Every structure is written in C-alpha cells, then in structure tokens.
Amino acid sequence: MGARYRPVMATDTNTSLRHGILSEESGEDREQLVQMLTKAYWMEIETVMSYIANSINPDGVRAQEIIESLETDIQEELGHARRFGERIKELYGVVPGSLDFHAEQSYLQPPDDQVDIVHVIKGVIEAETGAIEFYNQIIEFADGRDLVTQDMVIDILRDEEGHRRLFEGFLREYKAEGLA
Ligand SMILES: [Fe+2]
Ligand SMILES: [Fe+2]
C-alpha cells in the first residue's frame, strides 16, 4: 500500500540528517510508521465518536458511573488522536482528511435497549483491547528505529491499559451480581 498523500520532502535543506528516523535512508521505515500512526489516529477518532454516543445514550441509575468514566476517556482519546497526528507530521506524513475514514467498531454501536450497560462495558473493553494489541505492534516496530515514536506510544498504551482495567472492574461487578 503506497502513501495516500505525497509526503513532504524530508531533506529540503543542506543539513540532512545522518542518524535516526528523519534521515534520508530511513525513508521506508518512516513510511511504514506513518501508515501505522495513521491507523492509530483513526482508531482514536472512532473511539471518540463511539464514546460520545455511549456517554449520552445510557439510561438508569447504574449508567451514571459508566457515563462519567467515558466522559473522562473521551478527552484522553482526543488527546491521543492529536499526538498521533502530530507525530505523523513530524515524520513528514500528512494527517488524513475525513473522507479517508472507515468505521470498524461494530461492537460499540448503541444497544437495542439503552439500559443495557453491559453491552457498553463489553464494547469499551473490546475497543481498548484492540488499541492495546495494535499499539504493542507499533512499539515493537519502532524498537531500534524510532525511539521517540516508541516512547510516545508506550505512554499512550499505559492510558489504554488503564481504561481497559477500569472497565474490566465494572464488568466484574456486573458478573458478581449475575447481570453479565
Ligand atoms: Fe486512546
Ligand atoms: Fe482508551
């Protein structure tokens, strides 16, 4: 898969880099990273969309804790999207426009009944699990190639692990009460 957008020239000054991911010889690695970061960017954007809907739709007393947690997460996921976008630019990529977006989170669509909080909790866990799996792949690829991206994604990974752990706790409670 080729780059969707023409990358910005990496060396349009006479002070070209000889080391690191911004060097001319790292062009292929850089392109691969930009592709991965673009996918991560879209995952965050879709998560923001899904969490907004799922923080508004739920009904019932029990839903309030979930709503509040999702409201906090929305801000964090938005921050992640911005960080991925900024790193795409630093690697001479272009942050894509909305027409490139393809939705994938079938599991985070609104449930049939808006008191079905377990559906939301399970959907969030699935989204966070997907993020954790993919960010680990980026971290692995970036190892020895781009430690700055690796460092950033490790930081974001920790947030996702925290989100997942929190919602696992919610699910445990529902299971303990025979509701999940
Ligand atoms: Fe995120
Ligand atoms: Fe998350």
Side-chain angles (χ1 to χ4, degrees):
M1 188 172 107
R4 171 75 175 70
Y5 297 95
R6 190 155 44 88
V8 178
M9 285 301 290
T11 51
D12 51 7
T13 68
N14 56 8
T15 53
S16 57
L17 283 161
R18 279 175 298 134
H19 298 100
I21 194 65
L22 298 181
S23 67
E24 204 172 334
E25 64 180 32
S26 292
E28 266 175 43
D29 285 347
R30 210 160 50 232
E31 198 174 311
Q32 181 68 38
L33 274 165
V34 166
Q35 275 182 30
M36 293 178 107
L37 293 172
T38 302
K39 181 178 170 176
Y41 170 82
W42 284 131
M43 287 169 78
E44 297 288 349
I45 296 282
E46 185 172 15
T47 299
V48 169
M49 283 196 269
S50 295
Y51 287 7
I52 287 176
N54 285 293
S55 70
I56 294 171
N57 286 330
D59 278 324
V61 176
R62 312 193 63 127
Q64 292 314 305
E65 190 70 35
I66 305 298
I67 287 172
E68 277 171 33
S69 292
L70 285 176
E71 281 169 351
T72 305
D73 287 358
I74 289 163
Q75 297 310 317
E76 292 194 16
E77 312 297 12
L78 200 53
H80 296 162
R82 178 164 280 279
R83 292 180 76 183
F84 281 122
E86 282 164 355
R87 191 62 185 154
I88 288 168
K89 175 167 178 155
E90 285 163 1
L91 295 180
Y92 300 112
V94 177
V95 181
S98 57
L99 289 180
D100 279 2
F101 177 68
H102 299 289
E104 289 177 358
Q105 292 180 347
S106 54
Y107 45 87
L108 267 172
Q109 303 309 299
D112 296 334
D113 187 341
Q114 302 315 315
V115 295
D116 186 359
I117 301 304
V118 171
H119 169 91
V120 176
I121 294 170
K122 285 182 173 170
V124 170
I125 292 171
E126 192 162 346
E128 299 294 345
T129 301
I132 290 166
E133 304 271 19
F134 185 55
Y135 299 171
N136 271 298
Q137 284 179 40
I138 302 178
I139 289 163
E140 216 169 286
F141 182 79
D143 197 50
R145 292 184 166 98
D146 177 3
L147 298 181
V148 175
T149 293
Q150 187 182 54
D151 186 57
M152 181 190 84
V153 181
I154 288 170
D155 203 37
I156 293 172
L157 176 65
R158 188 183 184 174
D159 289 345
E160 314 301 12
E161 288 179 345
H163 297 160
R164 188 176 185 278
R165 181 64 187 86
L166 182 66
F167 277 77
E168 268 184 347
F170 292 143
L171 190 60
R172 274 195 67 205
E173 186 183 15
Y174 277 78
K175 277 186 174 155
E177 294 171 17
L179 298 168

